Amino acid sequence: MSTKSADNTNHPEGKKQTSGRGGGRQNDTPDVKLSKSLSFVLRHGAEKVGLNLREDGYASLEDLLKLPNFQKYSLQDVQRVVDNNDKKRYTLIKDDKDKWWIRANQGHSLKIQSLELEEITDPALYPNVIHGTYLDKWKQICQTGLSKMSRNHIHFASGLFGEDKVISGMRRNCTVFIYVDLKKALQDKIQFFKSSNGVILSEGKDGILPVEYFSQVLDPSGQSLL
């Protein structure tokens, strides 16, 4: 299992971590700081901080709350952050022994063997598969394609942010929207999956989704960039 942190600057879910341990910015609320710490540990830094993850990505909440950065938090704090997270990044469950487990639903750079992803096989069910990014990143993407970088997948949304229950998969301030020709990609044996919080994921071809699978690229005004 790799613990290499992701460089997210080209990624729809965010820019580089502001802290090596995901602590967030100084003016973040306590819940935002907790969410960012959860994101870092569960997606990227579990081994670095000595937290064991199961093959499905779940960590023992009891073990997590013993870590130095989490000792000031309680089960109730974590439940509140999980329940109120607008992108539904986390799943918190209790097993038949009353033990709590938590995982990040997607966005990992850690290798997770079984993340319970749903494979997409019918392109008709997903008329829009969109990667959101920024104009300065598009200049490179249009030459090299989309890269998963140090994460396990490239992230996409099933629509624009806020449309038809689209809550995750891109940032609300994206300025470039790359639409994928899903039918062509599936025909060429490129796999796509949907996470439990609705993010569409793909490894592409050797970590890259080439430009030939872009059906259109638009700016916020609908102007074509391709």
Side-chain angles (χ1 to χ4, degrees):
M1 183 182 290
S2 170
T3 58
K4 182 180 179 181
S5 296
D7 181 347
N8 302 332
T9 51
N10 281 359
H11 201 278
E13 288 219 334
K15 300 179 181 179
K16 281 188 178 181
Q17 297 279 0
T18 56
S19 166
R21 295 189 180 275
R25 298 181 176 87
Q26 193 171 24
N27 61 345
D28 284 340
T29 67
D31 280 3
V32 170
K33 288 182 179 180
L34 174 54
S35 181
K36 289 181 177 180
S37 293
L38 288 171
S39 177
F40 171 74
V41 169
L42 296 174
R43 289 172 166 176
H44 314 298
E47 281 193 348
K48 183 178 291 185
V49 299
L51 182 67
N52 184 55
L53 297 185
R54 302 188 324 199
E55 287 190 355
D56 57 5
Y58 279 100
S60 162
L61 184 63
E62 179 182 3
D63 291 345
L64 185 143
L65 293 178
K66 291 177 182 177
L67 298 174
N69 281 6
F70 293 91
Q71 289 178 4
K72 61 184 176 182
Y73 298 114
S74 66
L75 166 63
Q76 290 72 29
D77 293 326
V78 175
Q79 285 178 316
R80 183 178 62 253
V81 166
V82 171
D83 290 343
N84 294 335
N85 187 268
D86 58 350
K87 293 180 179 290
K88 302 301 178 188
R89 290 187 175 101
Y90 315 107
T91 297
L92 182 66
I93 60 173
K94 184 167 66 170
D95 65 19
D96 55 7
K97 297 180 181 179
D98 288 335
K99 182 172 181 176
W100 288 95
W101 299 84
I102 187 170
R103 77 169 181 199
N105 290 322
Q106 37 74 27
H108 300 80
S109 59
L110 296 171
K111 297 301 180 185
I112 306 299
Q113 299 299 319
S114 177
L115 199 55
E116 299 177 2
L117 301 176
E118 176 187 342
E119 185 170 4
I120 295 172
T121 57
D122 185 356
L125 298 178
Y126 297 88
N128 289 314
V129 176
I130 308 170
H131 178 91
T133 185
Y134 304 92
L135 190 59
D136 60 331
K137 306 304 178 186
W138 167 242
K139 295 175 182 178
Q140 176 180 342
I141 292 169
C142 68
Q143 300 295 324
T144 62
L146 278 170
S147 171
K148 70 183 182 68
M149 304 180 73
S150 59
R151 294 203 182 191
N152 297 337
H153 300 97
I154 308 163
H155 288 203
F156 305 88
S158 57
L160 298 176
F161 190 91
E163 287 184 353
D164 193 24
K165 301 181 181 179
V166 176
I167 61 171
S168 193
M170 73 170 68
R171 283 179 167 256
R172 67 176 69 238
N173 65 345
C174 288
T175 55
V176 174
F177 306 97
I178 300 171
Y179 288 72
V180 175
D181 187 336
L182 182 61
K183 182 177 180 180
K184 180 179 179 181
L186 292 179
Q187 286 175 342
D188 289 350
K189 309 301 182 185
I190 299 176
Q191 290 182 301
F192 284 76
F193 302 89
K194 185 175 73 172
S195 70
S196 59
N197 62 332
V199 177
I200 297 175
L201 306 167
S202 178
E203 294 183 24
K205 290 182 175 180
D206 299 320
I208 299 290
L209 186 69
V211 177
E212 65 184 279
Y213 297 103
F214 300 175
S215 61
Q216 60 178 345
V217 180
L218 305 177
D219 69 10
S221 68
Q223 184 72 29
S224 176
L225 301 175
L226 190 61

